[in-house]
Amino acid sequence: MAQLITILGLESSCDDTAAAVVRQGDGRAEILSSIVYGQTEVHSAFGGVVPELAARAHAEKVDICVAEAMQRAGVGFADLDAVAVTAGPGLIGGVLSGVMCAKGIAAATGLPLIGVNHLAGHALTPRLTDAAAFPYLMLLVSGGHCQYLVVRGPEDFKRLGGTIDDAPGEAFDKAARLLGLPQPGGPSVEAEAKQGDPKRFRFPRPLLDRNDCNLSFSGLKTALMRTRDQVVAEKGGLTRADRADLCAGFQQAIVDVLAEKTRRALRLYLAEQPETPLLAVAGGVAANSAIRAGLETVCADTSVTFTAPPLRLCTDNAAMIAYAGIERFRAGARDDLTLAARPRWPLDRTSPSLIGGGKKGAKA
């Protein structure tokens, strides 16, 4: 019989302050509570996340978030086996807020401290929601990251490819700013795209001429800007229909690129002959219904099972961090009060970096 483990998780890597309590015994993990405080209003006037403001908001909310999560779960510190916290990658001020709070809890209660890679939290979410068996293929697609990973174990990730510049979520945010739409850009662009014609404007499909799984979205953003400027020059401005068509064409380009690159990643993954082939998608952009539909079509064509977490577990949350902490806890991993907050922390530490490194280490 597997040990019953209950872990408090903290997440503060970007602009969501989150805490959750997750418990697992013999069967699937149970989310006892999951609290998320967003910061949309804090950053809305700036067209994107301001790191200094985000860090301040995390510092103000993280202890309140923890107290609420534990109250809703009906547990006290004596009922916990450990405290897990995002230790990177992310905006360093936010990561520090969570790490210092977790260290304080560990020091005061004597609970083991477990540092979790934020990306591992997303990558292991199919284990939390669907008890997915290793190995599975994960498309991690979010505001700051886009990678194809073969997930072989709780700390065993093989990157097949990823973005060499902007992540899809970043591209959506920039597209929204170019078209005067509110942030966050992903939901705004998706809502406009539903009213538009994706065939009116033909945008490029970057890197499809390369026979690998790497992606690029920076040039797509530039193409959108030039097309917008051309329409404005011809008509003296953008109509609502123009904006909707631009969003539809832009989104369809991203869908097509992700679909084709996913086919290539699946071929590499299937070469490992997994017993139960599975493609999972996670990260904030996984909430986009058009992207999900495109990936589901690819899986249907290749006889691979497709899974995506509920929308509330696609975006940043602490339940995924608590669960990843359970996986690490079972494997015997423990950290101490020297645990450092890390702005960069690649999951695959053996593959060459896709994006430049520097003093802080490789980005991805």
Side-chain angles (χ1 to χ4, degrees), residues 52-67:
E52 292 82 0
L53 296 180
R56 187 179 304 169
H58 286 307
E60 292 173 351
K61 290 288 189 180
V62 64
D63 57 338
I64 298 172
C65 200
V66 167

Side-chain angles (χ1 to χ4, degrees), residues 177-191:
R177 285 197 291 272
L178 286 171
L179 298 174
L181 296 171
Q183 296 293 325
S188 297
V189 172
E190 182 181 10

Side-chain angles (χ1 to χ4, degrees), residues 144-271:
H145 303 276
C146 186
Q147 300 179 39
Y148 290 101
L149 299 162
V150 178
V151 184
R152 296 169 175 160
E155 297 189 81
D156 187 356
F157 306 93
K158 172 63 177 177
R159 191 187 71 231
L160 302 181
T163 181
I164 62 174
D165 44 51
D166 292 355
E170 184 178 358
F172 274 117
D173 286 345
K174 291 178 178 177
R177 285 197 291 272
L178 286 171
L179 298 174
L181 296 171
Q183 296 293 325
S188 297
V189 172
E190 182 181 10
E192 286 291 316
K194 289 179 180 178
Q195 312 301 320
D197 177 7
K199 297 181 180 179
R200 178 181 169 191
F201 299 109
R202 177 68 183 178
F203 290 104
R205 272 59 173 167
L207 298 192
L208 290 190
D209 59 333
R210 298 188 187 181
N211 190 27
D212 58 29
C213 300
N214 293 333
L215 306 109
S216 169
F217 298 103
S218 179
L220 185 58
K221 170 205 65 181
T222 303
L224 174 65
M225 180 178 64
R226 290 175 176 170
T227 305
R228 177 208 63 180
D229 291 347
Q230 183 180 355
V231 174
V232 170
E234 292 174 353
K235 303 174 65 174
L238 287 179
T239 66
R240 179 66 183 270
D242 292 332
R243 188 167 67 179
D245 291 344
L246 286 167
C247 287
F250 178 83
Q251 178 177 267
Q252 190 60 50
I254 291 180
V255 170
D256 290 348
V257 168
L258 287 175
E260 177 55 31
K261 292 293 184 173
T262 298
R263 290 183 191 277
R264 299 177 189 181
L266 278 171
R267 285 196 290 269
L268 295 174
Y269 161 66
L270 292 173

Side-chain angles (χ1 to χ4, degrees), residues 27-359:
R28 291 191 180 185
E30 179 184 3
I31 300 174
L32 302 183
S33 66
S34 181
I35 307 299
V36 180
Y37 285 107
Q39 300 178 6
T40 300
E41 293 183 1
V42 174
H43 305 285
S44 60
F46 302 97
V49 177
V50 180
E52 292 82 0
L53 296 180
R56 187 179 304 169
H58 286 307
E60 292 173 351
K61 290 288 189 180
V62 64
D63 57 338
I64 298 172
C65 200
V66 167
E68 186 173 347
M70 294 186 64
Q71 181 181 17
R72 290 201 185 181
V75 301
F77 288 116
D79 301 308
L80 301 176
D81 294 287
V83 55
V85 61
T86 295
L91 301 177
I92 190 61
V95 177
L96 272 169
S97 297
V99 167
M100 295 307 293
C101 181
K103 284 184 178 181
I105 292 171
T109 62
L111 288 169
L113 177 66
I114 301 176
V116 172
N117 186 311
H118 174 81
L119 304 181
H122 280 303
L124 293 172
T125 297
R127 300 267 296 163
L128 166 63
T129 58
D130 298 282
F134 298 123
Y136 55 87
L137 179 63
M138 163 61 66
L139 170 56
L140 176 56
V141 56
S142 67
H145 303 276
C146 186
Q147 300 179 39
Y148 290 101
L149 299 162
V150 178
V151 184
R152 296 169 175 160
E155 297 189 81
D156 187 356
F157 306 93
K158 172 63 177 177
R159 191 187 71 231
L160 302 181
T163 181
I164 62 174
D165 44 51
D166 292 355
E170 184 178 358
F172 274 117
D173 286 345
K174 291 178 178 177
R177 285 197 291 272
L178 286 171
L179 298 174
L181 296 171
Q183 296 293 325
S188 297
V189 172
E190 182 181 10
E192 286 291 316
K194 289 179 180 178
Q195 312 301 320
D197 177 7
K199 297 181 180 179
R200 178 181 169 191
F201 299 109
R202 177 68 183 178
F203 290 104
R205 272 59 173 167
L207 298 192
L208 290 190
D209 59 333
R210 298 188 187 181
N211 190 27
D212 58 29
C213 300
N214 293 333
L215 306 109
S216 169
F217 298 103
S218 179
L220 185 58
K221 170 205 65 181
T222 303
L224 174 65
M225 180 178 64
R226 290 175 176 170
T227 305
R228 177 208 63 180
D229 291 347
Q230 183 180 355
V231 174
V232 170
E234 292 174 353
K235 303 174 65 174
L238 287 179
T239 66
R240 179 66 183 270
D242 292 332
R243 188 167 67 179
D245 291 344
L246 286 167
C247 287
F250 178 83
Q251 178 177 267
Q252 190 60 50
I254 291 180
V255 170
D256 290 348
V257 168
L258 287 175
E260 177 55 31
K261 292 293 184 173
T262 298
R263 290 183 191 277
R264 299 177 189 181
L266 278 171
R267 285 196 290 269
L268 295 174
Y269 161 66
L270 292 173
E272 298 190 9
Q273 299 181 331
E275 290 186 9
T276 54
L278 174 72
L279 170 68
V281 59
V285 180
N288 184 289
S289 58
I291 290 176
R292 285 199 188 207
L295 297 175
E296 287 175 338
T297 298
V298 172
C299 286
D301 292 344
T302 53
S303 300
V304 172
T305 301
F306 173 82
T307 187
L311 298 184
R312 64 187 176 86
L313 296 179
C314 283
T315 52
D316 290 349
N317 65 90
M320 68 180 189
I321 302 303
Y323 178 76
I326 289 176
E327 293 265 24
R328 293 201 73 214
F329 187 89
R330 290 195 187 281
R334 304 289 187 276
D335 291 294
D336 56 30
L337 297 183
T338 64
L339 176 68
R342 303 171 64 171
R344 300 176 185 173
W345 191 358
L347 278 180
D348 184 343
R349 303 176 192 178
T350 60
S351 297
S353 174
L354 288 172
I355 304 176
K359 293 182 178 179

